Amino acid sequence: MNTSAALDVDLALVGGGGAASLVLAALDRHGVRDLRVAVVDPVHRRGQDRTWAFWDRPGSDLDPLLAASWDQVEVATPDGRRVLDLAPLRYAMLRSGPVYARAAEAERRLGVRRIVAPVDALYDDGGHVTVRVGGGSAVRASWVLDSRPRPPRRPGRTNWLQHFRGWWLESAVPVFDPARAVLMDFRTPQPARGVSFGYVLPVSDRYALVEYTEFGPDLLTDAGYDAALAGYRDLLGLDPTRLTVREVENGVIPMTDGPFEARPSPRVVRLGTAGGATRPSTGFTFSAMHRQAEQVARALAAGRPPMPAPAYPRRHRWMDAVALRALDAGGVGGPDFFGRLFDRNPAERVLRFLDGATTPAEEVALMGTTRLRPMVAATAGDAAARLRDRLDPTRRAATWTVPRPVVGDRADADG
Ligand SMILES: Cc1cc2nc3c(=O)[nH]c(=O)nc-3n(C[C@H](O)[C@H](O)[C@H](O)COP(=O)(O)OP(=O)(O)OC[C@H]3O[C@@H](n4cnc5c(N)ncnc54)[C@H](O)[C@@H]3O)c2cc1C
């Protein structure tokens, strides 16, 4: 292979979205200056294309970038509404614009070379990785951090999607409570198979992101998302005639126990959703990406290979597989499952659990608060399915891909 024209770098970021932006910012924060870095992505991400919500401890590098944060959140089910104090954590919202701008600033300081093109393939000979673009060798890198979207190595036993539509709503009058976000509101009509909920992320008393989300196997239609979101708006008691939709946000995130390969070859490390940073039972991804970006930067700053710890411990991935199976079988209802978790445990413990940061003893306590019979059935079902797969590896479908979001062109809030 002719690699003479290739750009020689120490690190190539293949994919320059959320995960890569956080890595660039972390490298800059760690004062890394002597590393030759390239970013290859067909899109140079700028401005608002998504909103990240996550929880963390106040006082991180993200503080100056946040659009809002809340010490209290609400979780609602048909049984009632709970106001949860998150201390010492907080729930926070980050718009993509400031994250991409921070990454651009880091890129300038690090002297990053950017190639705006899709990568076709990576060839790892164990010493270097050749990054192929448009049929030619564009970059030769000592290490590649690859965050191009991709499906799991093989489909999971449960393959669900978190799919959603959100409206950034501006109100003519004060209607939102900026002191409190709605984390999950399960009073929405529940789908025949899956879980639905709404949420509200207010940045002021007149401006908020209001979103309708489903966990389940299939997407809705464009009209279906609009109807569901309008229904949630009405459930909140918001008057559509006094609201303007300023922006629309759509997304689809995998929720699967299929394995995402974090280290496909010796010098390629996958990050972001492609590297398993998406928590299968919730779709939350941001905190794991942020954690791994810090680990990668710390390693590179110390002259070590950029290999982060797995996004979640193995036992958490197993617990997620069981939870997904229980939800998919219908033995556990989403509102009941999440309602009981938040009713019977300190909110801070539930959130740490969802980040994969609890101890086994805490996990036993948490599991003890879910409904025993369907969870035992799902655990037995998971064990039996693993055994069947081992005996007949061809049993499961060969591939499973995450569909693109359904994107409409609505410009008003009327449903
Ligand atoms: C609308 C939306 C809202 C979300 N909100 C939340 C949230 O609130 N909280 C949370 O925890 N998670 C959230 N997520 C999930 C997750 O945090 C995001 O998807 C996050 O952006 C994932 O980062 P990533 O780097 O893995 O992928 P992306 O940010 O999607 O980046 C992948 C990059 O790869 C590039 N690429 C594609 N093909 C190629 C190629 N051939 N060669 C080179 N580059 C390529 C793309 O152009 C893109 O820039 C959300 C996701 C979406 C879509």
Side-chain angles (χ1 to χ4, degrees):
M1 183 186 303
N2 176 18
T3 55
S4 56
L7 174 69
D8 245 309
V9 296
D10 302 304
L11 179 71
L13 298 174
V14 171
S21 298
L22 293 174
V23 168
L24 289 167
L27 288 173
D28 186 28
R29 202 167 56 249
H30 280 270
V32 173
R33 289 292 175 268
D34 49 0
L35 204 70
R36 296 166 304 159
V37 183
V39 177
V40 193
D41 191 315
V43 183
H44 193 162
R45 306 225 158 247
R46 296 184 178 92
Q48 176 61 22
D49 63 17
R50 66 201 53 192
T51 304
W52 284 294
F54 59 97
W55 48 86
D56 70 351
R57 279 171 196 270
S60 83
D61 60 291
L62 300 169
D63 283 21
L65 310 181
L66 295 180
S69 69
W70 308 272
D71 299 328
Q72 287 189 328
V73 296
E74 200 175 303
V75 173
T77 61
D79 300 340
R81 298 160 80 152
R82 309 140 181 87
V83 175
L84 309 174
D85 284 311
L86 301 184
L89 304 179
R90 65 171 172 197
Y91 198 47
M93 174 174 43
L94 198 48
R95 309 249 287 154
S96 58
V99 175
Y100 298 148
R102 173 72 187 89
E105 184 189 311
E107 264 186 66
R108 276 193 299 280
R109 280 210 278 267
L110 294 161
V112 169
R113 300 282 297 273
R114 191 172 264 270
I115 298 172
V116 182
V119 169
D120 310 326
L122 302 175
Y123 293 105
D124 184 346
D125 65 13
H128 286 93
V129 186
T130 303
V131 179
R132 304 270 298 175
V133 171
S137 303
V139 178
R140 187 170 175 268
S142 304
W143 287 95
V144 163
L145 300 176
D146 183 6
S147 56
R148 286 172 295 167
R150 64 165 49 242
R153 179 159 43 84
R154 54 182 155 73
R157 295 172 186 92
T158 309
N159 298 294
W160 271 17
L161 303 164
Q162 178 183 146
H163 51 106
F164 50 89
R165 174 165 294 174
W167 286 332
W168 275 98
L169 292 179
E170 187 173 20
S171 168
V173 292
V175 285
F176 301 114
D177 177 359
R180 187 187 294 170
V182 177
L183 181 70
M184 288 174 153
D185 185 344
F186 293 101
R187 294 172 302 151
T188 48
Q190 294 300 304
R193 187 174 168 207
V195 181
S196 84
F197 60 93
Y199 66 78
V200 183
L201 302 178
V203 294
S204 77
D205 58 6
R206 290 163 202 247
Y207 204 56
L209 176 63
V210 176
E211 208 155 295
Y212 173 83
T213 300
E214 276 193 21
F215 296 170
D218 302 309
L219 302 186
L220 303 184
T221 60
D222 185 38
Y225 285 110
D226 275 349
L229 193 43
Y232 183 52
R233 173 204 61 202
D234 296 346
L235 189 68
L236 293 170
L238 299 171
D239 176 358
T241 63
R242 309 190 101 180
L243 294 172
T244 310
V245 178
R246 290 296 176 199
E247 290 167 47
V248 182
E249 187 163 314
N250 297 287
V252 182
I253 303 171
M255 296 179 76
T256 175
D257 54 354
F260 286 90
E261 215 165 5
R263 188 87 186 280
S265 64
R267 289 183 171 270
V268 176
V269 173
R270 292 212 185 109
L271 290 181
T273 297
T278 298
R279 180 94 205 211
S281 60
T282 63
F284 278 109
T285 311
F286 185 85
S287 296
M289 294 197 306
H290 186 231
R291 203 162 49 234
Q292 291 193 317
E294 175 64 24
Q295 293 165 357
V296 161
R298 203 180 282 270
L300 287 168
R304 287 185 280 110
M307 285 183 294
Y312 304 103
R314 183 187 281 268
R315 64 177 192 284
H316 279 246
R317 296 201 304 271
W318 169 73
M319 285 187 283
D320 277 13
V322 170
L324 277 180
R325 174 174 282 271
L327 290 167
D328 194 29
V332 174
D336 181 64
F337 179 75
F338 287 102
R340 282 172 76 103
L341 271 184
F342 282 107
D343 273 345
R344 298 168 187 224
N345 297 281
E348 178 263 349
R349 184 191 296 163
V350 179
L351 296 185
R352 273 192 302 109
F353 169 67
L354 296 178
D355 270 344
T358 34
T359 62
E362 288 174 314
E363 286 147 25
V364 169
L366 279 154
M367 285 300 116
T369 60
T370 60
R371 286 196 191 278
L372 197 60
R373 196 177 297 175
M375 292 310 276
V376 168
T379 306
D382 182 69
R386 280 171 200 267
L387 186 63
R388 280 198 303 274
D389 286 346
R390 201 162 297 160
L391 296 174
D392 178 7
T394 60
R395 206 175 62 87
R396 267 186 285 163
T399 54
W400 174 71
T401 47
V402 177
R404 298 177 69 79
V406 175
V407 177
D409 54 6
R410 293 183 59 83
D412 62 69
D414 291 332

